[in-house]
């Protein structure tokens, strides 16, 4: 059974930091991504990492503030979020893909349950 288990969400003040983790069980993946969905908005891609190498993708809104990384031995992907802004408030989801097809939602096969991030001003 495939499971993606997220952790690390919570509350932070603007300018603060949080680190999200996503551990994958029962699935061999080549791409991992983080997406987010704010109330009343569509889900959007935040960052993607290609596990076979060092290629990464970031949404313009998080470039320079967020960093995606991985520990393949632990089947875990991280999202370090620095200089948080109130507009980063959203439910954050990790997603896995066996084949790296792209950076959009449709390119991923399995999803975690989500972890809430709330940033106050």
């Amino acid at each position: 059974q495939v499971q993606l288990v997220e952790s690390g969400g919570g509350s932070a003040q603007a300018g603060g930091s949080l680190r999200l983790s996503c551990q994958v069980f029962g699935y061999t993946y080549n791409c991992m991504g983080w997406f987010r969905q704010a109330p009343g908005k569509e889900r959007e891609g935040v960052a993607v990492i290609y596990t076979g190498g060092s290629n990464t993708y970031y949404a313009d809104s998080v470039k320079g503030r967020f960093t995606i990384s991985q520990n393949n031995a632990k089947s875990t992907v991280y999202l370090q979020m620095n200089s948080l802004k109130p507009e980063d408030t959203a439910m954050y989801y990790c997603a896995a893909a066996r084949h790296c097809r792209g950076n959009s939602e449709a390119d991923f096969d399995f999803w975690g349950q989500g972890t809430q991030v709330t940033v106050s001003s």
Side-chain angles (χ1 to χ4, degrees), residues 31-36 43-50 57 94-97 99-111:
C31 278
M32 289 292 296
W34 285 99
F35 293 76
R36 67 185 181 186
R43 190 151 55 181
E44 62 174 352
V46 175
V48 174
I49 188 164
Y50 298 79
Y57 157 84
C94 67
H99 303 291
C100 299
R101 303 185 292 269
N103 303 322
S104 64
E105 197 172 339
D107 295 319
F108 290 82
D109 306 308
F110 291 99
W111 293 80

Side-chain angles (χ1 to χ4, degrees), residues 6 20 33-48 57-63 65-66 79-95 103-105 111-112 114-119:
E6 298 130 332
L20 307 182
W34 285 99
F35 293 76
R36 67 185 181 186
Q37 187 168 22
K41 294 188 176 181
E42 292 186 353
R43 190 151 55 181
E44 62 174 352
V46 175
V48 174
Y57 157 84
Y58 293 97
D60 288 342
S61 57
V62 305
K63 279 181 183 176
R65 300 189 298 121
F66 290 12
L79 186 68
Q80 179 67 44
M81 306 185 294
N82 298 329
S83 302
L84 284 163
K85 303 177 181 180
E87 50 263 44
D88 295 319
T89 295
M91 185 72 78
Y92 282 71
Y93 300 88
C94 67
N103 303 322
S104 64
E105 197 172 339
W111 293 80
T115 185
Q116 179 68 37
V117 170
T118 302
V119 183

